[in-house]
Amino acid sequence: MNEEEEKELELLYECEDMARVNQALKEAQGLVFDCDGTLLDTMPIYFQSWSRACDELGLSLPIERFYSFAGVPVHDIFQTLIDEQLSGDKIITADYCEQVKRRHHDDLEKEGLLAGPIDIVVDLARRYHGKIPMAVASSGWRDHVIDGLERNGLLHLFDIVVTTEDGAVQSPKPAPDIFLVAAQRIGVCPTKCIGFEDADLGMQAVKTANYLYASDVRLMHMYPRNVEKRNSTISDNEEKENGDDAS
C-alpha cells in the first residue's frame, strides 16, 4: 500500500458518519439499504433517462431538481411536473410519461450504460451478510432494482427486497412505511435497525421509522460524488499550476 492509498484509508475511517455507523453496529440486529444512489450508482444514468424523457414530453427537470426528488416514485415525480408545467390543452398522464421514461432507460442500458456498485456501502453489506438480517427498501421499479442487484452480484446478500410497488407500502418516502415493512419482514424491531440512504426524503423516512441510526451515505468519504469532487478539484489545481508554470 503506497502513501496515497494509506491516506485514503485513514480518511475513510475518520469519516464521521462511518464512525457513527460502526458505533451503531454494536447494537444493530438488522440493516436496511436504499438501492438507487446507495447500493448502486444509478443516479447519473437515471438523470440521462429523465432528460431524454422530459425532452420528448416537453417537460423540464434540471439536475438540481432531479436530485431533490430522490426517493420519490417516478409516477409521482411526473405528476408533479405535469401539474406545474403543462397547460390544459396538452393532456398527458403520469402513466404514459412513466412508459416513456422506461423506454429511454432501456435504450441507455442497450447502449452499455449500466450502474455499478457503490463500493463503500456494498463492502459493508458484504461484511455483515449471513451475520444479521438485511433488506433493501427502494422507491425504484421492482424489476429494475432486482435486475441491478443481480447483475452486480449483490441480490443474494439480502433476505428481502421491498419497493413502493408492494401493497403493504401505503405511502412512499418520506413516510416511514417502506422501512417499517422491511424491518417487519426481516423480523427485527425498527429500533434495532440501521437504515442507509442517499436522499433527504429517505433520511426523513428512516428517522420517522424510529430506526437505531439513519446513515447518510453521501457523507462517506469514498461516496462517488465526493470522489468526483476531489478529483475535479485536483484537476483544476493542476491546470492552474501548469498555467502558472507556463507564464
Side-chain angles (χ1 to χ4, degrees):
M1 183 179 294
N2 60 38
E3 185 177 345
E4 184 177 346
E5 289 173 333
E6 288 179 352
K7 187 174 181 181
E8 288 285 349
L9 186 61
E10 181 182 350
L11 287 169
L12 169 62
Y13 286 105
E14 285 179 356
C15 165
E16 184 176 350
D17 186 72
M18 185 59 76
R20 290 176 177 171
V21 168
N22 286 329
Q23 185 64 33
L25 282 166
K26 296 176 182 179
E27 303 177 45
Q29 296 177 10
L31 306 180
V32 181
F33 299 82
D34 172 54
C35 184
D36 296 321
T38 299
L39 289 167
L40 299 180
D41 195 15
T42 55
M43 301 305 276
I45 299 170
Y46 280 180
F47 179 66
Q48 290 190 54
S49 65
W50 270 104
S51 295
R52 291 186 182 186
C54 286
D55 286 346
E56 178 177 332
L57 295 163
L59 297 168
S60 174
L61 183 64
I63 191 166
E64 297 83 5
R65 188 93 191 275
F66 163 74
Y67 276 104
S68 75
F69 276 126
V72 179
V74 171
H75 184 279
D76 295 355
I77 297 173
F78 272 123
Q79 191 60 60
T80 298
L81 297 179
I82 290 169
D83 292 343
E84 291 176 350
Q85 299 177 24
L86 296 184
S87 59
D89 59 341
K90 186 173 183 180
I91 301 174
I92 57 174
T93 66
D95 287 339
Y96 172 73
C97 293
E98 192 166 5
Q99 292 174 14
V100 172
K101 165 80 166 56
R102 273 186 176 271
R103 170 164 49 81
H104 284 294
H105 182 88
D106 291 345
D107 287 346
L108 286 167
E109 288 194 340
K110 290 175 185 175
E111 293 168 20
L113 293 176
L114 301 170
I118 295 179
D119 292 332
I120 184 62
V121 182
V122 168
D123 287 348
L124 193 149
R126 291 189 189 279
R127 193 196 324 165
Y128 283 88
H129 172 56
K131 297 179 180 178
I132 58 177
M134 298 194 297
V136 173
S138 173
S139 297
W141 295 317
R142 183 175 180 82
D143 58 331
H144 281 210
V145 172
I146 297 293
D147 289 348
L149 292 172
E150 197 166 41
R151 185 169 55 242
N152 284 278
L154 304 178
L155 185 59
H156 72 283
L157 298 177
F158 304 99
D159 299 280
I160 57 102
V161 174
V162 183
T163 70
T164 48
E165 295 173 19
D166 192 306
V169 180
Q170 296 185 5
S171 299
K173 303 171 186 177
D177 300 33
I178 196 166
F179 286 102
L180 293 173
V181 171
Q184 180 187 39
R185 291 189 179 171
I186 58 173
V188 179
C189 176
T191 59
K192 293 296 183 181
C193 290
I194 298 175
F196 297 86
E197 264 285 355
D198 72 304
D200 293 343
L201 295 179
M203 287 293 291
Q204 184 179 336
V206 176
K207 292 174 181 177
T208 306
N210 200 27
Y211 270 32
L212 172 66
Y213 182 64
S215 172
D216 188 338
V217 300
R218 296 170 296 184
L219 301 178
M220 294 180 178
H221 181 69
M222 295 304 294
Y223 187 72
R225 303 295 84 75
N226 297 332
V227 173
E228 290 165 6
K229 287 178 184 177
R230 291 198 300 274
N231 289 341
S232 177
T233 299
I234 291 170
S235 178
D236 290 344
N237 289 340
E238 288 177 346
E239 288 182 8
K240 183 177 180 182
E241 288 174 2
N242 290 336
D244 291 342
D245 290 343
S247 62

